[in-house]
Amino acid sequence: MNPTKPNPQLTEGDIDRALATASDSILPSSGFADDVMAAIDREASAPAPLAFPWKRAVPGVIAAVAVLALLVAMIASVLESTASRREPAVSLNWPIDVQTIAAHVSHPANGATWLVISLALCGACLIFCRRLASPR
Amino acid sequence: MNPDPPTNSSSNDSAEEASDEVLVARVAAGDTRAFEGIVRRWQSPLVNLAWRFCRDRGRAEEMAQEAFLRAFRNLAQFRGDSAFSTWLFSLATNVYRTELRRMPASPLSLDEIAEPHDPRIAIATAFEESSRAETLRRAVLALPRRYRDAVLLFYFHEQDVPAAARTLRIPEGTVKARLFRGRELLRSKFSRPSRSSKSASLAQRQPREAQTP
């Protein structure tokens, strides 16, 4: 054999014959269908996965959205007050002045508001958690 | 391999005689046992399709079982827009591809394809022919995934491009292009000089390969 001679060219017919012949198939084992049905029965008899408790989660989601909205409103009011005190040409003063926020929050009236909000949220959390933990 | 379901005239089981759509409706209504008709009807095609993907009987049956389980779970998604077989093969193909991604088959590398020692003898003997065919089938598994899938589905569907396209959910033109490229790759691999001659012919091949894009 000439070592540099390539092997015979593989034709499309060769590929078709090799890949389309009946010898390229197997028969399932005799118990295959029974095994599959056993697995199907297990699947069908298994308890359905617990659905997410949307009904119970709705109050929490609403509370979270409300808190978020409150925070946004607070930040917006802080920015607004900051902008009004400084040069009016710069309406948005980024990054947010932390000292201004601290001063705003530490103001007696605002502090009381925060205190009430925090207490209300704590109470809501407590009620919500007890409700989640309690049996139906 | 004919992907059409085998007929079983001796069976009197009504579940096996009912059409796929009727069986699907019965399963959807809560009659789990009706799924057995689907399993018995399609077990052979699904196992064979899996066999073509992995060339391992045990694994092929495991993969086919997983495909049936997935079909059972997702039966509600079958809307009857296409034939049940199309939906089932498509789902099974996805399962097999995912399974092979997770744990690849151990095909021959295209570089490890054993070539006949002497073409004059090899061509003359049936054993060498069948061995070469088997080598070719395994070589298909070493093709890049997209060409492999097109080639496997094309021959599984008895060289029916539209059927392969429906199963793969790609246009027929894409299937044809992938088939062409897959065959070209196989041809190029099988027409290379045998391994023993690799080193001897390396110097001669390099200039030729350099010209190939």
Side-chain angles (χ1 to χ4, degrees):
Chain A
M1 178 184 169
N2 183 354
T4 60
K5 185 182 176 184
N7 288 308
Q9 181 77 29
L10 188 74
T11 66
E12 197 164 308
D14 293 334
I15 297 175
D16 287 344
R17 269 192 298 280
L19 300 180
T21 51
S23 62
D24 190 25
S25 62
I26 58 170
L27 283 174
S29 308
S30 55
F32 175 74
D34 295 331
D35 290 344
V36 173
M37 283 315 294
I40 295 286
D41 287 339
R42 279 197 301 274
E43 177 93 7
S45 61
L50 290 175
F52 188 79
W54 281 109
K55 276 186 184 174
R56 290 184 170 213
V58 163
V61 171
I62 291 172
V65 170
V67 168
L68 195 66
L70 204 63
L71 278 175
V72 170
M74 293 293 285
I75 290 171
S77 73
V78 168
L79 287 176
E80 200 176 333
S81 64
T82 309
S84 64
R85 261 184 262 152
R86 291 187 179 178
E87 199 174 327
V90 184
S91 58
L92 283 174
N93 200 8
W94 295 101
I96 299 169
D97 189 351
V98 179
Q99 285 183 337
T100 310
I101 296 174
H104 184 84
V105 171
S106 62
H107 190 274
N110 293 332
T113 311
W114 278 108
L115 190 65
V116 171
I117 290 171
S118 304
L119 285 172
L121 279 177
C122 284
C125 274
L126 193 67
I127 293 166
F128 184 60
C129 291
R130 288 185 67 171
R131 196 180 151 192
L132 275 183
S134 66
R136 285 170 184 267
Chain B
M1 168 66 207
N2 187 348
D4 292 337
T7 54
N8 188 357
S9 55
S10 62
S11 172
N12 292 321
D13 190 351
S14 63
E16 289 186 42
E17 289 169 0
S19 73
D20 291 323
E21 285 72 17
V22 170
L23 292 173
V24 169
R26 281 171 55 185
V27 176
D31 180 8
T32 307
R33 297 310 302 177
F35 197 74
E36 186 168 0
I38 293 173
V39 173
R40 294 203 181 277
R41 181 172 297 159
W42 294 106
Q43 59 175 338
S44 186
L46 251 59
V47 168
N48 270 292
L49 183 56
W51 159 253
R52 285 169 186 248
F53 270 90
C54 67
R55 315 296 304 177
D56 178 325
R57 170 183 276 276
R59 196 170 174 207
E61 293 198 347
E62 282 174 15
M63 285 163 57
Q65 177 165 327
E66 180 57 33
F68 277 121
L69 270 172
R70 195 76 63 85
F72 179 75
R73 285 186 207 123
N74 299 321
L75 212 54
Q77 290 174 12
F78 173 63
R79 308 257 177 231
D81 302 332
S82 59
F84 178 76
S85 57
T86 303
W87 180 82
L88 186 63
F89 286 141
S90 187
L91 180 144
T93 302
N94 279 335
V95 170
Y96 300 162
R97 286 195 291 199
T98 306
E99 187 65 23
L100 285 185
R101 262 200 299 271
R102 195 176 63 82
M103 196 186 294
S106 49
L108 291 178
S109 154
L110 285 177
D111 290 328
E112 293 171 345
I113 293 169
E115 295 295 337
H117 300 299
D118 186 342
R120 288 166 300 183
I121 300 168
I123 291 168
T125 61
F127 176 76
E128 287 285 351
E129 276 293 315
S130 79
S131 167
R132 192 173 191 218
E134 184 56 28
T135 305
L136 179 58
R137 288 177 203 135
R138 287 187 174 275
V140 171
L141 299 182
L143 289 173
R145 210 176 298 155
R146 65 173 81 168
Y147 307 131
R148 177 201 68 189
D149 294 347
V151 171
L152 287 177
L153 267 299
F154 174 71
Y155 288 104
F156 174 74
H157 284 295
E158 297 185 319
Q159 303 178 43
D160 183 349
V161 171
R166 282 194 300 273
T167 301
L168 288 168
R169 294 180 181 169
I170 55 176
E172 289 179 24
T174 309
V175 171
K176 286 177 186 169
R178 290 181 183 180
L179 266 175
F180 177 78
R181 183 75 185 121
R183 280 172 171 155
E184 284 298 303
L185 280 171
L186 287 174
R187 249 201 296 268
S188 69
K189 295 298 177 185
F190 270 79
S191 59
R192 285 188 318 185
S194 60
R195 300 183 91 193
S196 58
S197 64
K198 268 184 183 172
S199 55
S201 62
L202 193 60
Q204 295 180 349
R205 276 170 47 203
Q206 276 175 341
R208 198 156 34 106
E209 286 174 353
Q211 293 169 3
T212 311

